[in-house]
Amino acid sequence: MSIYGAMFSGVSGLNANSQALGAIADNITNVNTIGYKATEVRFSTLVTAQAGLNNYSPGGVQQKPFAAVDAQGLFQSSTNATDLGISGDGFFVVNEENAHDGSTGFKFTRAGAFNADKSGYLKNTAGYYLQGYKTNSLGQTVDANNASFNPDPTVFTNLETIRLNNIGGTADATDNLTFGANLPAEAAIGATNNTTIQVYDSLGVAHNMQLNWTKIANNQWDLAIAPPTQSASAILKDSGGSIYASAGRLDFASQPADGDTIIVNSLTYEFDTTASGSAAGVAAGQTITIGSSISNTVSNLVEVLDVSYGGSRFAQNSSDSSRVDITGLTAQSAITDANDLVDGGGVMAVGTYGTTTVNTTLTFTANATDGDVFVFDAKTYEFDSGGAIAGTSTYTVTIGASAAATAANLVTAINANTSNTRAIYSTVSGTGRVHLNSSAVTDITFNASGTANLNQSGAGAVTINDVDLVPSATAAVTFDGSGIPSGFNVDDITMDLNNGAADLSVDFDFGTIGQATGLVQFAAAYNPTFIDTDGAAFGQFSGVTISEAGLVTALFENGDIRPIFKIPVATFPNPNGLGANSGNVYTQTDFSGLFFLRTPGSGGAGKIQNSVLEASTVDIAREFTNMITTQRAYSASAKIISTADEMLDELVRIKR
């Protein structure tokens, strides 16, 4: 019995060691397999129950393969940004298909040699596709409807194959401008300095924005920014949202066509070749004569609009006669003594103009006579043929050769004694007409879509707002006696663009009050010391980078970046209990416990390393050593069988 038992024990030894040799063979052949975990065969005794204390019944040996799945392999450097390794616990989630229903085909691997296939999906050497959550531009995980959500770590819902070839180019609008410069302390009042800065809109179109600094008093500088080309308006605001300056522009690419229209504050103005026609809804005085040139047409447009809105809100650009500049005005003081806007000789007719009845028109029906007076803003104006009138509050208006000349002189006198342009001289629909502006300065809203030849035709409705801050009282920047800024009244600018891009809003950073960190004022030439802006022109997708937290970020040629995916790491209570499958992947089993999808680097999950590959955990020297000991053990087991055979042969010969 013991001889037969010894023989079967030897057989178990042969089987166990042959299994061990198989594991050694697999280990050696997979020594260069990325993410492979070495398997060893562990032995345990196989004991036969003993029949008595004086007898021994041989048992043998049984083998149990063991793969140390949780063993960390060494990292190998790579030049491929999508070659990934996990430093610590966890597994990449992969799927057999690039498109799936979110519930089947999922497996786990440490083999991170991922490359894009012909469709741009990241696939490893074994053909399994890397899974991740799609993100928005803020790096937040989003679902199929681009709604942000927090992933459930116990299900595969919303996981999808990471794809790289469907990432288009991008452009980044300018949001911030940091500017430092020395404004010359010894500059004369009224001196100007300017710097042109390139900014980008949401379509990646570059715009030249010019900062124009004007010294308005000692230690005080004003800032103006004209709307750049391809824009319709530019509005400067302080940190509280109050409007510091507001301006607009209209650019004629060519002459408007007969019947083209422009809407200003809900009133429709029509361009006409004869100035006598009118479109439906176009009232008298709202027709603009198309001149012999663009310049003449622009001049006619400005004159008609200023009659309606006053205050020189509209002006023909001095360097480009095909352009109309629109200005936002500060709130003006009220017209007082309105009933006194008549003269003793009855030569002026009093009426209204424009869109509000508080604006006043004075029409000279005849020339003024010596001694005629009227009161405006509590100031007395007397018409005189020559010489000043006694009294500090009386202002002289020279009587001209005609009523029209006298009206022009009246405009000059009023504007010389008011804080804003309160009076306008006009020859529209008559001669000798004076328009006086009330305190009701209104926002100017225009829509040029009715005139295709205006560059602003695609801008929609554009508003040039009233100005809340008086520049003479609130300088853009003020300095103390040491040349350090003591106050800023300009915080940002908003520009309404006409090229289809979203409105451009740029925050200014001119430094810190009380510190020489931006704008300063010293006795030196104007010198911009630094200019820093964000934003970028259009750039094509150029690659990705992957953070330790698993955030996949797209890189673009213009230097812009955009988060696109977030890679989770799956952890298990017992990773060594996972089931191994071909392709160096694992499946969840009862022995491994349930998976848990974690953010890399948190909750016990390892961090993701990019441009590295995790090497096999096989140690060649150890495997060859194990091969020698396994071979010896196998030979010894065979010797047991041969010895038992010889003993049985001796037993047979006894009978002979």
Side-chain angles (χ1 to χ4, degrees):
M1 182 68 179
S2 295
I3 296 177
Y4 278 107
M7 185 175 290
F8 285 120
S9 179
V11 171
S12 70
L14 291 177
N15 181 57
N17 284 285
S18 64
Q19 295 288 332
L21 184 62
I24 293 170
D26 267 359
N27 288 343
I28 293 174
T29 54
N30 284 283
V31 67
N32 290 321
T33 300
I34 300 301
Y36 177 79
K37 303 302 178 183
T39 301
E40 62 178 302
V41 176
R42 295 178 176 178
F43 302 105
S44 63
T45 58
L46 184 61
V47 178
T48 302
Q50 304 301 314
L53 295 177
N54 298 320
N55 297 315
Y56 182 81
S57 298
V61 65
Q62 59 183 1
Q63 71 283 349
K64 288 187 177 180
F66 174 79
V69 179
D70 60 351
Q72 176 74 54
L74 297 176
F75 284 143
Q76 301 172 346
S77 179
S78 167
T79 58
N80 181 17
T82 56
D83 282 343
L84 306 176
I86 299 176
S87 178
D89 294 337
F91 300 82
F92 298 111
V93 181
V94 293
N95 199 287
E96 299 169 326
E97 304 293 336
N98 57 32
H100 51 76
D101 60 4
S103 62
T104 60
F106 290 97
K107 291 181 172 59
F108 310 94
T109 187
R110 300 273 295 195
F114 295 104
N115 286 283
D117 65 6
K118 65 178 182 180
S119 299
Y121 295 104
L122 288 185
K123 180 175 66 172
N124 69 8
T125 307
Y128 286 92
Y129 294 94
L130 179 62
Q131 303 299 297
Y133 298 108
K134 186 175 290 185
T135 67
N136 57 21
S137 60
L138 300 177
Q140 301 168 328
T141 53
V142 295
D143 58 19
N145 298 318
N146 287 324
S148 61
F149 75 103
N150 292 319
D152 185 339
T154 62
V155 296
F156 296 119
T157 305
N158 291 313
L159 278 178
E160 59 181 87
T161 300
I162 295 178
R163 189 179 187 184
L164 302 182
N165 77 336
N166 62 345
I167 302 171
T170 185
D172 190 18
T174 299
D175 294 318
N176 299 283
L177 165 64
T178 302
F179 180 80
N182 178 65
L183 299 175
E186 295 183 311
I189 305 300
T192 61
N193 297 277
N194 61 74
T195 297
T196 299
I197 301 171
Q198 192 172 71
V199 296
Y200 296 92
D201 63 27
S202 59
L203 301 179
V205 178
H207 301 273
N208 290 327
M209 181 177 71
Q210 189 175 71
L211 306 181
N212 298 304
W213 301 97
T214 302
K215 188 172 184 179
I216 57 177
N218 286 334
N219 300 328
Q220 295 185 20
W221 291 79
D222 180 31
L223 174 63
I225 299 179
T229 304
Q230 291 190 312
S231 69
S233 68
I235 299 174
L236 287 169
K237 297 180 181 179
D238 69 0
S239 58
S242 297
I243 297 175
Y244 179 84
S246 180
R249 64 185 290 171
L250 292 168
D251 296 89
F252 284 84
S254 59
Q255 284 274 44
D258 189 27
D260 282 351
T261 59
I262 181 173
I263 300 173
V264 181
N265 284 13
S266 301
L267 297 180
T268 300
Y269 295 82
E270 181 192 291
F271 293 96
D272 194 85
T273 54
T274 61
S276 59
S278 64
V282 178
Q286 294 168 214
T287 300
I288 304 151
T289 303
I290 299 174
S292 58
S293 65
I294 296 178
S295 178
N296 290 338
T297 302
V298 169
S299 178
N300 295 336
L301 172 63
V302 167
E303 185 172 11
V304 169
L305 293 178
D306 263 345
V307 166
S308 296
Y309 300 99
S312 296
R313 304 294 298 274
F314 300 84
Q316 192 167 18
N317 186 271
S318 59
S319 59
D320 182 359
S321 61
S322 64
R323 169 177 162 184
V324 176
D325 292 327
I326 310 170
T327 306
L329 295 182
T330 56
Q332 301 170 349
S333 57
I335 291 178
T336 58
D337 302 317
N339 293 331
D340 293 328
L341 291 175
V342 293
D343 68 303
V347 297
M348 288 188 293
V350 181
T352 62
Y353 78 96
T355 59
T356 172
T357 57
V358 294
N359 291 334
T360 304
T361 294
L362 302 175
T363 302
F364 282 77
T365 58
N367 205 346
T369 58
D370 193 41
D372 287 344
V373 297
F374 75 97
V375 179
F376 175 59
D377 267 355
K379 296 181 177 67
T380 300
Y381 294 83
E382 178 176 332
F383 295 93
D384 196 84
S385 57
I389 308 299
T392 57
S393 61
T394 302
Y395 300 89
T396 302
V397 181
T398 301
I399 300 174
S402 64
T406 301
N409 293 337
L410 175 61
V411 168
T412 301
I414 292 175
N415 288 338
N417 295 286
T418 54
S419 59
N420 292 291
T421 305
R422 302 294 301 279
I424 306 168
Y425 174 74
S426 176
T427 59
V428 175
S429 302
T431 59
R433 175 172 291 186
V434 177
H435 298 299
L436 299 176
N437 300 317
S438 74
S439 60
V441 177
T442 57
D443 295 343
I444 298 295
T445 299
F446 70 83
N447 190 321
S449 58
T451 301
N453 293 337
L454 274 170
N455 292 341
Q456 286 72 22
S457 61
V462 177
T463 299
I464 292 85
N465 302 98
D466 291 344
V467 177
D468 300 319
L469 304 174
V470 180
S472 60
T474 53
V477 57
T478 57
F479 297 93
D480 60 22
S482 62
I484 305 301
S486 58
F488 296 107
N489 284 307
V490 175
D491 185 70
D492 61 74
I493 184 172
T494 300
M495 289 180 281
D496 195 325
L497 305 177
N498 60 23
N499 63 345
D503 290 352
L504 183 60
S505 181
V506 181
D507 287 330
F508 294 141
D509 182 359
F510 294 131
T512 304
I513 293 176
Q515 299 181 23
T517 57
L519 290 176
V520 293
Q521 181 190 247
F522 294 107
Y526 176 71
N527 178 36
T529 52
F530 60 87
I531 300 172
D532 185 21
T533 63
D534 55 10
F538 176 79
Q540 293 283 1
F541 171 69
S542 61
V544 297
T545 184
I546 302 172
S547 72
E548 291 184 342
L551 186 64
V552 182
T553 302
L555 308 177
F556 298 89
E557 293 174 345
N558 58 5
D560 200 8
I561 60 175
R562 185 203 308 163
I564 53 175
F565 281 98
K566 186 174 287 186
I567 301 172
V569 167
T571 61
F572 294 87
N574 177 27
N576 294 326
L578 290 169
N581 291 264
S582 296
N584 207 11
V585 295
Y586 302 92
T587 54
Q588 178 178 286
T589 68
D590 292 340
F591 301 106
S592 67
L594 301 178
F595 70 85
F596 202 91
L597 303 180
R598 303 181 187 273
T599 298
S602 66
K607 298 178 180 179
I608 290 180
Q609 307 293 322
N610 72 327
S611 297
V612 297
L613 292 171
E614 185 179 358
S616 167
T617 58
V618 173
D619 183 342
I620 287 291
R622 180 180 179 183
E623 296 304 321
F624 280 131
T625 301
N626 289 341
M627 185 184 296
I628 293 171
T629 59
T630 300
Q631 181 184 12
R632 293 302 183 188
Y634 187 89
S635 298
S637 295
K639 191 64 175 177
I640 293 172
I641 296 173
S642 64
T643 301
D645 178 60
E646 291 176 359
M647 292 175 68
L648 285 173
D649 188 53
E650 287 294 332
L651 185 61
V652 171
R653 281 200 295 269
I654 291 174
K655 186 176 186 277
R656 292 176 185 171

